[in-house]
């Protein structure tokens, strides 16, 4: 193997392994990891969300697309905006979804929610489906619809999409308030109309006829539209008012148990192997350009990963090609995976907060849909203070949790010695957020904010957030630096091993000093102004991060300072 190729593979392998680390917990079962890896093409920044198998624990987690505006023609909207709108219904994290048409914002491919078909699949690209068992499917899905009035079965070309001349299309309330304007088109209103489930006969009566489009779609009905002189007269003749009409939305493969689906592509991983060329309807530039990219994959244990790669930003992140993204997902353990929209739309967010750096010059770009992990159990935000040490403003903790269904809740604090401080015991609450203030800390070490809820569906969920009460290290200040060095003063309440770490304001570590053993009392540590390689640091703004490890654990405090190189 050529040396350069081996080096690249080594870098990618190391990068993927780092990206799949345990990560930071966002909500129960869901973690987030961001890594930066330097490659021959420049730095690459990858974001990985890891979530439970969809449907685990009686449906506490769901992986599903969310449409901007709630309809096929709604939006577009930013992913963070869609997440905020869902906040009262679930705690969510995810990425952008399928490509969409810029003229009217309709999605490019299939959309399914709750087992209902909202938009027709695009057979020339992959579709991504999640079934009732939580398995992720990546298939080329074709649509073969039919409708029948008083005559024979006739072709139905799609659902909730603008018909071309000679096509008949079904419109449900998922499309929007009215059908599109299509001069000369014939329409029949079907009411009541059953839920639009694929591969089943959907029977309804014609309650009204219309033409030209802009017909109101009943909340409990649908509208069948025939566009063009070859099909409009047939619909008028075979589906007059009062006629029973049967439609059928046929998918191939049938996807019998698929509950949620969105369009995507290209296929990235099949059978645990990265796919070099999937022969899908994408241009060479769309798949071979090194760019921002995103995808979804499922691991062998059923867990799901959502991966977003920043790109198009020299000096920050160069991005990946489609095949490099496939390799990354395979090395993360995906046994099946597909890409979703790439380029400036690539977004990863949690609970309405942006986690990545989109490459679009305007920042986060509005999109048609988001692919979101939705969690329906109790959620507790991290306590605002990771460390309480008794200093001003660090003596009490503001605690909170959120429930999205009526639930019986028990909330408590667990002290480092295992004793508990109950704040609620089996209290019935309506959906909403609940807050507490607690400041009666009497044991130093790691405390846990723990909440358990049983909702009205009988589902039990628990959330746990650790934080520290530790008075070992207090009063950290930066002495005005002398030329070429910086000294930091603090007080220890007990003996501890102290480590000083110097960081940039952006959190990049430039130097970590060895631990020193110090006794209780007023103490200090000094940085000699040199980097890890021994060269002198540039003057400017930095952050001193001091860690103290004592008999009660490790606490850390940071302070900004200005370094004078001299």
């Amino acid at each position: 193997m050529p040396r350069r190729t081996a080096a690249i593979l080594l870098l990618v392998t190391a990068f993927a392994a780092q990206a799949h680390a345990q990560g930071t917990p966002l909500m129960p079962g869901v973690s987030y990891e961001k890594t930066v890896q330097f490659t021959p093409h420049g730095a690459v920044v990858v974001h990985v969300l890891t979530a439970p198998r969809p449907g685990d624990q009686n449906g506490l987690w769901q992986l599903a697309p969310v449409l901007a505006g709630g309809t096929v023609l709604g939006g577009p909207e930013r992913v963070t905006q869609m997440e905020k709108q869902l906040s009262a219904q679930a705690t969510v994290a995810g990425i952008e979804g399928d490509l969409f048409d810029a003229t009217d914002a309709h999605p490019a491919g299939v959309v399914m929610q709750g087992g209902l078909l909202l938009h027709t699949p695009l057979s020339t690209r992959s579709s991504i489906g999640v079934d009732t068992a939580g398995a992720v499917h990546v298939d080329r899905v074709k649509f073969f619809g039919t409708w029948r009035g008083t005559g024979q079965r006739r072709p139905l070309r799609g659902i909730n999409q603008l018909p071309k001349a000679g096509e008949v299309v079904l419109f449900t309330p998922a499309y929007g308030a009215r059908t599109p304007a299509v001069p000369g088109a014939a329409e029949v209103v079907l009411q009541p109309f059953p839920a639009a489930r694929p591969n089943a006969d959907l029977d309804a009566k014609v309650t009204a006829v219309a033409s030209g489009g802009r017909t109101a779609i009943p909340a409990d009905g649908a509208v069948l539209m025939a566009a063009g002189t070859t099909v409009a007269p047939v619909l008028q003749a075979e589906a007059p008012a009062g006629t029973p009409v049967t439609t059928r939305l046929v998918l191939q493969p049938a996807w019998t148990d698929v509950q949620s689906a969105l369009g995507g592509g290209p296929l990235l991983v099949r059978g645990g192997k990265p796919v070099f060329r999937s022969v899908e309807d994408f241009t060479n530039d769309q798949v071979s350009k090194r760019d921002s990219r995103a995808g979804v994959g499922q691991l062998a244990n059923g867990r799901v990963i959502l991966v977003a790669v920043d790109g198009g930003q020299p000096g920050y992140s160069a991005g990946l090609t489609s095949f490099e993204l496939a390799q990354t997902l395979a090395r993360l353990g995906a046994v099946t995976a597909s890409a979703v929209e790439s380029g400036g739309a690539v977004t990863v967010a949690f609970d309405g907060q942006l986690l990545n750096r989109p490459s679009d010059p305007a920042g986060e770009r509005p999109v048609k849909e988001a692919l979101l992990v939705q969690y329906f159990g109790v959620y507790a935000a991290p306590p605002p203070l990771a460390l309480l040490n008794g200093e001003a403003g660090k003596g009490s903790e503001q605690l909170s949790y959120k429930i999205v269904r009526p639930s019986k809740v028990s909330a408590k604090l667990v002290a480092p010695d295992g004793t508990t401080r109950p704040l609620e015991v089996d209290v019935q609450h309506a959906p909403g957020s609940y807050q507490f203030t607690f400041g009666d800390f009497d044991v130093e070490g790691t405390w846990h904010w723990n909440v358990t809820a049983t909702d009205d569906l009988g589902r039990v969920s628990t959330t746990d957030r650790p934080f520290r009460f530790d008075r070992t290290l207090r009063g950290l200040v930066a002495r005005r630096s002398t030329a070429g060095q910086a000294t930091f003063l603090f007080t220890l309440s007990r003996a501890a091993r102290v480590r000083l770490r110097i960081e940039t304001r952006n959190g990049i570590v430039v130097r970590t000093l060895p631990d020193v053993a110090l006794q209780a009392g007023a103490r200090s540590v000094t940085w000699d102004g040199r980097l890890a390689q021994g060269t002198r640091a540039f003057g400017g703004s930095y952050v001193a991060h001091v860690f103290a490890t004592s008999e009660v654990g490790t606490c850390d405090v940071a302070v900004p300072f200005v370094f004078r190189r001299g």
Side-chain angles (χ1 to χ4, degrees):
M1 180 182 294
R3 182 178 301 173
R4 178 176 172 82
T5 302
I8 293 174
L9 289 175
L10 179 61
L11 284 170
V12 175
T13 302
F15 163 64
Q18 290 179 20
H20 198 44
Q22 183 177 1
T24 301
L26 296 180
M27 53 185 168
V30 180
S31 64
Y32 164 70
E33 178 75 10
K34 172 185 176 181
T35 63
V36 181
Q37 179 66 39
F38 294 96
T39 76
H41 304 288
V44 177
V45 178
V46 171
H47 310 264
V48 181
L49 293 171
T50 304
R53 184 186 188 96
D56 273 6
Q57 292 194 17
N58 300 318
L60 282 174
W61 289 272
Q62 174 180 289
L63 178 67
V66 174
L67 293 175
T71 61
V72 169
L73 287 190
E77 297 173 340
R78 294 177 176 86
V79 172
T80 52
Q81 184 179 357
M82 287 186 259
E83 289 185 346
K84 289 176 182 177
Q85 293 167 354
L86 280 174
S87 180
Q89 303 170 40
T91 305
V92 295
I95 58 178
E96 82 290 354
D98 192 13
L99 292 160
F100 64 96
D101 190 298
T103 58
D104 64 1
H106 75 264
V110 67
V111 179
M112 288 182 67
Q113 293 177 339
L116 306 184
L117 186 62
L118 277 60
H119 192 265
T120 319
L122 185 59
S123 62
T124 56
R125 296 179 182 173
S126 288
S127 295
I128 307 161
V130 182
D131 66 23
T132 52
V136 175
H137 301 260
V138 181
D139 297 310
R140 299 276 192 93
V141 180
K142 296 180 180 180
F143 177 85
F144 302 95
T146 63
W147 71 273
R148 183 177 183 178
T150 59
Q152 64 186 15
R153 285 190 180 272
R154 299 188 182 275
L156 178 68
R157 294 301 182 188
I159 179 171
N160 294 326
Q161 65 184 40
L162 185 68
K164 298 177 182 178
E167 293 183 346
V168 179
V169 170
L170 179 71
F171 290 93
T172 69
Y175 179 78
R178 294 179 177 274
T179 61
V182 181
E187 296 176 285
V188 297
V189 178
L190 305 173
Q191 190 180 16
F193 191 81
R197 298 190 181 279
N199 311 308
D201 286 342
L202 307 174
D203 300 321
K205 281 189 176 182
V206 177
T207 57
V209 297
S211 62
R214 304 302 300 162
T215 299
I217 305 173
D220 64 341
V223 176
L224 203 57
M225 174 186 281
T229 57
T230 60
V231 293
V234 175
L235 180 65
Q236 291 170 329
E238 297 184 4
T243 302
V245 172
T246 298
T247 58
R248 191 173 180 89
L249 311 174
V250 181
L251 298 180
Q252 185 184 53
W255 271 13
T256 305
D257 295 323
V258 169
Q259 292 294 296
S260 301
L262 75 159
L267 171 69
L268 296 177
V269 180
R270 174 183 288 145
K273 305 291 185 181
V275 176
F276 178 70
R277 184 179 289 112
S278 63
V279 197
E280 297 184 31
D281 185 20
F282 293 98
T283 66
N284 185 63
D285 189 57
Q286 284 178 303
V287 296
S288 62
K289 179 182 178 182
R290 192 161 278 107
D291 203 351
S292 304
R293 298 193 179 275
V296 54
Q298 187 163 45
L299 309 180
N301 62 7
R303 290 178 66 81
V304 169
I305 53 174
L306 303 179
V307 177
V309 180
D310 290 331
Q313 301 171 75
Y316 167 66
S317 186
L320 297 175
T321 67
S322 180
F323 183 58
E324 288 170 342
L325 177 61
Q327 290 176 306
T328 299
L329 278 155
R331 291 190 176 96
L332 287 170
V335 294
T336 187
S338 173
V340 290
E341 186 174 4
S342 60
V346 170
T347 303
V348 57
F350 166 63
D351 205 28
Q353 300 298 313
L354 189 64
L355 297 177
N356 74 317
R357 188 189 296 182
S359 59
D360 193 294
E364 185 186 359
R365 181 188 294 179
V367 295
K368 176 58 215 174
E369 64 184 347
L371 178 59
L372 301 179
V373 176
Q374 302 173 46
Y375 168 67
F376 305 104
V378 61
Y379 166 74
L385 297 174
L387 172 69
L388 298 102
N389 60 9
E391 294 181 323
K394 296 182 179 180
S396 63
E397 196 75 89
Q398 305 298 316
L399 306 168
S400 66
Y401 67 81
K402 178 185 78 173
I403 50 176
V404 297
R405 298 191 63 88
S407 302
K408 183 179 292 186
V409 181
S410 293
K412 63 186 177 184
L413 283 163
V414 181
D417 59 5
T419 58
T420 62
R421 313 291 188 272
L423 300 181
E424 288 185 332
V425 178
D426 291 340
V427 177
Q428 188 69 39
H429 281 304
S433 296
Y434 298 87
Q435 291 81 34
F436 305 86
T437 299
F438 187 86
D440 190 18
F441 295 102
D442 53 359
V443 182
E444 291 184 76
T446 299
W447 287 67
H448 289 264
W449 168 227
N450 184 280
V451 187
T452 298
T454 303
D455 67 17
D456 57 339
L457 299 177
R459 299 178 301 189
V460 179
S461 58
T462 299
T463 184
D464 185 274
R465 293 290 190 179
F467 62 94
R468 286 191 63 77
F469 173 60
D470 192 336
R471 294 182 291 190
T472 301
L473 175 63
R474 304 177 67 185
L476 177 65
V477 295
R479 178 189 291 171
R480 183 178 176 84
S481 67
T482 58
Q485 66 178 24
T487 299
F488 308 96
L489 311 177
F490 52 88
T491 299
L492 294 177
S493 64
R494 57 175 60 86
R497 297 195 65 83
V498 175
R499 182 173 77 257
L500 172 63
R501 190 170 76 193
I502 305 299
E503 306 168 356
T504 67
R505 288 293 180 95
N506 294 326
I508 298 174
V509 178
V510 299
R511 179 76 183 279
T512 300
L513 276 65
D515 291 2
V516 292
L518 300 176
Q519 296 300 311
R523 297 289 179 254
S524 66
V525 290
T526 298
W527 175 44
D528 62 5
R530 294 187 180 276
L531 305 179
Q533 300 85 354
T535 57
R536 299 196 64 81
F538 289 102
S541 297
Y542 291 87
V543 174
H545 214 138
V546 179
F547 299 80
T549 301
S550 68
E551 60 187 13
V552 298
T554 299
C555 62
D556 62 288
V557 181
V559 62
F561 71 101
V562 176
F563 173 65
R564 296 182 180 182
R565 183 173 182 177

